[in-house]
């Protein structure tokens, strides 16, 4: 599934947190021709970006207004916050929505209990624990609890074997 369609090719994506998820997302969006900028407080994190990454990177704390302004957050159509800290993610997501009026804000939250609260503030949330539970549920439904899947998730994704 493509993340960037011809409809949102001209959109400006900001990602905060260049960890495993953030870097992966930035690489994919950039490969698909998206206009991407990624922020991380640790510049070593940018090593996770692929050599062909065509976007920009800013080293700095995503809660810092100067950093967000350097990233031209006021021009962002989409902001994805995936640092490893729920409080930081929520703070940045709220700054983006309330102050800079970013249209689409998506935040990762490790704590499933908080998810619905932030939805009310117009912040979309993804919760790895809930997503994983749903996937496990789907796997068990597909095969029953005693049988193993005949293909691994990777093989299914790549359409191999
Ligand atoms: P991961 O745990 O692999 O998803 O990585 C999370 C990333 O978020 C790491 O590269 C951290 O350096 C980064 N990070 C954590 N807090 C902040 C922050 N306040 N601003 C920018 N990046 C951050």
């Amino acid at each position: 599934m493509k993340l960037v369609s011809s409809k949102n090719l001209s959109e400006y994506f900001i990602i905060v947190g260049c960890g495993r998820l953030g870097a992966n997302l930035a690489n994919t969006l950039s490969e698909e021709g998206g206009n991407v900028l990624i922020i991380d407080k640790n510049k070593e994190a940018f090593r996770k970006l692929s050599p062909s990454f065509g976007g920009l990177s800013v080293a700095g704390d995503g809660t810092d207004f100067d950093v967000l302004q350097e990233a031209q957050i006021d021009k962002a159509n989409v902001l994805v916050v995936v640092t490893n800290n729920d409080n930081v993610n929520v703070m940045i997501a709220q700054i983006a929505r309330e102050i800079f009026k970013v249209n689409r804000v998506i935040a990762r939250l490790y704590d499933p209990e908080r998810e619905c609260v932030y939805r009310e503030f117009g912040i979309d949330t993804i919760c790895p624990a809930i997503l994983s539970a749903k996937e496990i549920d789907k796997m068990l439904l597909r095969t029953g609890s005693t049988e193993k899947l005949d293909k691994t998730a990777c093989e299914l994704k790549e359409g191999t074997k």
Side-chain angles (χ1 to χ4, degrees), residues 11-68:
E11 289 185 344
Y12 176 36
F13 299 86
I14 296 182
I15 300 168
V16 186
C18 189
R20 287 150 292 188
L21 177 58
N24 206 293
L25 183 62
N27 287 333
T28 307
L29 286 167
S30 168
E31 256 168 45
E32 292 178 1
N35 183 12
V36 189
L37 179 144
I38 186 155
I39 300 171
D40 200 290
K41 65 178 182 183
N42 172 13
K43 66 178 190 306
E44 296 295 308
F46 299 131
R47 286 192 187 167
K48 295 189 198 75
L49 295 170
S50 74
S52 59
F53 176 69
L56 296 172
S57 54
V58 171
D61 191 318
T63 58
D64 182 336
F65 267 62
D66 291 341
V67 170
L68 294 174

Side-chain angles (χ1 to χ4, degrees), residues 61-82:
D61 191 318
T63 58
D64 182 336
F65 267 62
D66 291 341
V67 170
L68 294 174
Q69 266 159 343
E70 187 190 340
Q72 299 197 301
I73 189 174
D74 54 321
K75 297 203 171 69
N77 303 94
V78 182
L79 180 122
V80 184
V81 219
V82 286

Side-chain angles (χ1 to χ4, degrees), residues 126-147:
I126 50 154
C127 176
I130 292 176
L131 291 180
S132 306
K134 281 187 189 155
E135 269 314 300
I136 291 169
D137 202 42
K138 266 198 257 166
M139 278 179 170
L140 293 176
L141 270 175
R142 239 185 281 150
T143 61
S145 53
T146 51
E147 287 167 64

Side-chain angles (χ1 to χ4, degrees), residues 114-131:
R114 295 167 156 208
E115 217 190 2
C116 8
V117 180
Y118 295 106
R119 231 165 247 178
E120 284 170 26
F121 294 122
I123 297 166
D124 286 329
T125 54
I126 50 154
C127 176
I130 292 176
L131 291 180

